[in-house]
């Protein structure tokens, strides 16, 4: 029997489309089906194998030798398809080429380097919350808080100029859609690819950046010989691609979780030092980045299923983060649990390099709210924003009850 026939006989086959509007809106049911079907599932619609259980997702994320990123971490296989932009030197690269850019960026956004931002960002969060509350206690917390806060602090920290910042979220939205199939979401933005890319690429130039931001530090690392000058703008581009939408929708996940779990909000108010854990639990519970792909570097077997060399594997981070074999009561948003080990930031050599930036943003915003807000509640059904790989939001209508 050929390897293909063997696979066809043994692997559960699923013809559902994880990138359909309904799956993207409400992925939990499909995640349950995929986890229950087996450790590996064949997705016939896209001719890829998929992993939805924690054990296999974790194992494949840490095994970069067998599951490469250099052929792209979306559905498109860069061995056969032209990428929509020059591949990322971090996300879409493997050792050894991946390692120098990674080290450079890691040091620039590591906790010691973020200390100088801590006070500024905490103050900025306090000012933002005061400013929003001065206009009333009912508003769209997605726009006014979850989007507004990262946009207020992160582009300044990178060292972007003042113009065109409204392009950041649309560019990220486009990049995260591009990891999925060429469906209506991708087609809807096709007319903006050239303009948005041109704007982002222009911001990566040394001359476009201030002298004291993350961007300038990337260029300084090139002067120092840790990177080539040709690599520097692409590393800046990684910050601009991966650093805005992710934190916006991660903070939105937090606000949604806390608004719908008043007991957990009380717990956070009593222990504001748990703001970072609250953020990680929200990342586990919502998984703002839902999916990534890898490509098999050789014929490789996962739980007795052969994954042919050169083929794509779809990893459901969101499903792994709610796998009952790993998490007790996984659908519960629970600040008493230890969410560490979640794969919402990935795992292994590509694990989110900016996670400390994200945690600092969350800590600043959540502690500013915890000091001022006794209770918060949704006033209407929140709306999701469909995206092929981000679990994202369009609105979070909320009422906040300020203290005393
Ligand atoms: C990059 C969590 C995703 C990303 C996403 C998109 C782009 C990049 C990284 O990480 O350009 O390096």
């Amino acid at each position: 029997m050929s390897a293909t026939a063997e696979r066809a006989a043994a692997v559960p086959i699923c013809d559902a489309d994880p990138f359909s509007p309904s799956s993207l809106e409400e992925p939990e049911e499909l995640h349950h089906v995929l986890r229950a079907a087996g450790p590996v599932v064949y997705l016939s619609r896209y001719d890829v194998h998929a992993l939805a259980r924690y054990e296999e997702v974790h194992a494949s994320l840490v095994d970069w030798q067998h599951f490469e990123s250099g052929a792209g971490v979306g559905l498109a296989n860069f061995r056969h398809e032209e990428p929509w932009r020059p591949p990322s030197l971090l996300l879409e690269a493997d050792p050894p080429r991946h390692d120098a850019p990674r080290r450079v960026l890691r040091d620039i956004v590591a906790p010691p380097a973020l200390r100088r931002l801590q006070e500024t960002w905490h103050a900025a969060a306090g000012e933002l919350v005061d400013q929003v509350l001065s206009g009333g206690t009912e508003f769209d917390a997605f726009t006014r808080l979850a989007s507004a806060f990262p946009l207020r602090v992160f582009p300044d920290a990178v060292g972007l100029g003042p113009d065109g910042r409204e392009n950041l979220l649309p560019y990220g939205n486009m990049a995260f859609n591009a990891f999925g199939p060429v469906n209506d979401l991708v087609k809807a933005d096709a007319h903006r690819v050239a303009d948005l890319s041109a704007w982002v690429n222009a911001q990566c130039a040394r001359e476009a950046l201030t002298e004291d931001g993350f961007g300038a530090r990337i260029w300084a690392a090139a002067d120092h010989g840790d990177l080539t000058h040709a690599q520097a703008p692409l590393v800046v581009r990684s910050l601009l691609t991966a650093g805005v939408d992710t934190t916006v929708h991660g903070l939105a996940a937090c606000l949604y979780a806390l608004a719908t779990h008043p007991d957990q909000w009380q717990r956070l108010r009593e222990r504001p030092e748990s703001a970072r854990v609250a953020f990680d639990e929200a990342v586990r519970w919502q998984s703002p980045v839902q999916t990534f792909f890898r490509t098999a570097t050789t014929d490789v077997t996962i739980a007795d299923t052969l994954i042919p060399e050169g083929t794509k594997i779809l990893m459901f981070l969101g499903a792994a983060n709610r796998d009952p074999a790993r998490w007790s009561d996984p659908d519960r948003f629970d600040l008493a649990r230890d969410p560490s080990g979640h794969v919402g930031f990935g795992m292994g050599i590509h694990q989110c390099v900016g996670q400390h930036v994200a945690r600092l943003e969350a800590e600043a915003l959540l502690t500013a709210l915890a000091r001022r807000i006794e209770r918060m509640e949704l006033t209407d059904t929140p709306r999701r924003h469909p995206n092929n790989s981000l679990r994202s939001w369009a609105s979070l209508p909320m009422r906040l009850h300020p203290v005393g």
Side-chain angles (χ1 to χ4, degrees):
M1 193 159 39
S2 76
T4 308
E6 232 170 289
R7 180 192 69 198
V11 182
I13 297 173
C14 175
D15 69 357
D17 180 1
F19 303 99
S20 72
S22 62
S23 297
L24 293 175
E25 171 83 22
E26 200 123 357
E28 280 85 8
E29 181 54 32
L30 176 61
H31 290 172
H32 172 78
V33 167
L34 293 171
R35 280 190 309 257
V40 184
V41 182
Y42 179 71
L43 295 181
S44 52
R45 235 168 242 259
Y46 297 109
D47 186 26
V48 297
H49 289 91
L51 311 174
R53 294 184 182 177
Y54 181 88
E55 186 182 331
E56 282 76 22
V57 168
H58 183 279
S60 64
L61 282 169
V62 299
D63 185 0
W64 58 267
Q65 292 93 338
H66 288 107
F67 302 102
E68 68 175 8
S69 293
V73 297
L75 178 63
N77 191 328
F78 295 175
R79 297 182 187 193
H80 314 296
E81 291 173 65
E82 175 96 39
W84 70 280
R85 60 175 195 169
S88 163
L89 300 181
L90 290 119
L91 182 75
E92 295 156 332
D94 301 294
R97 290 172 42 209
H98 155 272
D99 300 342
R102 168 81 188 199
R103 259 195 302 274
V104 165
L105 194 54
R106 181 201 59 197
D107 290 350
I108 290 168
V109 293
L114 297 182
R115 256 175 240 140
R116 72 186 176 97
L117 295 172
Q118 191 146 346
E119 235 178 278
T120 320
W121 285 16
H122 274 268
E127 282 162 26
L128 174 66
V129 173
D130 287 341
Q131 188 186 346
V132 169
L133 288 173
S134 73
T137 53
E138 275 185 49
F139 50 83
D140 176 9
F142 173 72
T143 315
R144 306 293 300 283
L145 296 175
S147 307
F149 184 58
L151 287 172
R152 190 178 273 218
V153 296
F154 184 73
D156 284 345
V158 174
L160 288 193
D163 298 333
R165 292 178 176 201
E166 69 280 3
N167 292 320
L168 288 167
L169 282 171
Y171 182 80
N173 183 59
M174 198 173 76
F176 278 94
N177 273 330
F179 296 127
V182 183
N183 55 16
D184 290 348
L185 292 171
V186 171
K187 289 174 191 157
D189 274 349
H191 69 287
R192 302 192 68 186
V193 174
D195 284 353
L196 289 170
S197 300
W199 180 80
V200 164
N201 294 340
Q203 309 318 304
C204 299
R206 185 166 220 163
E207 305 69 48
L209 295 158
T210 62
E211 280 169 20
D212 58 351
F214 299 145
R217 273 158 222 214
I218 291 168
W219 279 98
D223 294 343
H224 201 247
D226 298 335
L227 280 180
T228 68
H229 287 91
Q231 289 176 314
L234 278 177
V235 177
V236 179
R237 195 193 68 179
S238 283
L239 279 179
L240 300 181
T241 312
V244 186
D245 300 64
T246 48
T247 52
V248 163
H249 297 292
L251 292 177
C254 249
L255 296 176
Y256 171 67
L258 291 162
T260 53
H261 297 76
D263 54 326
Q264 301 301 300
W265 178 248
Q266 284 320 315
R267 191 187 156 97
L268 177 64
R269 290 196 65 221
E270 286 156 21
R271 289 171 244 204
E273 66 281 0
S274 66
R276 283 167 185 256
V277 177
F279 177 63
D280 270 85
E281 171 64 353
V283 170
R284 181 199 69 81
W285 187 63
Q286 285 290 300
S287 300
V289 177
Q290 285 275 303
T291 46
F292 268 129
F293 292 76
R294 292 288 188 263
T295 307
T297 57
T298 64
D299 282 359
V300 55
T301 299
I302 304 178
D304 296 329
T305 297
L306 177 85
I307 315 287
E309 188 268 336
T311 66
K312 289 271 171 172
I313 303 105
L314 172 45
M315 303 173 303
F316 285 91
L317 308 178
N321 279 339
R322 291 189 182 212
D323 183 349
R326 170 62 180 78
W327 310 96
S328 59
D329 206 356
D331 295 331
R332 212 180 121 86
F333 173 74
D334 180 5
L335 297 189
R337 84 163 79 235
D338 176 5
S340 62
H342 74 72
V343 290
F345 288 126
M347 196 56 74
I349 65 165
H350 291 283
Q351 193 186 35
C352 179
V353 75
Q355 58 186 287
H356 307 289
V357 179
R359 289 203 187 94
L360 177 56
E361 288 182 23
E363 178 188 60
L365 185 61
L366 291 182
T367 55
L369 286 167
R371 267 201 300 278
R372 293 164 175 83
I373 303 301
E374 222 155 60
R375 208 150 60 72
M376 52 185 172
E377 67 211 344
L378 295 175
T379 53
D380 203 345
T381 314
R383 278 184 304 113
R384 296 278 185 181
H385 172 79
N387 182 283
N388 278 336
S389 41
L390 282 178
R391 189 133 167 77
S392 46
W393 300 84
S395 72
L396 276 175
M398 281 173 48
R399 180 183 302 118
L400 270 54
H401 300 264
V403 179

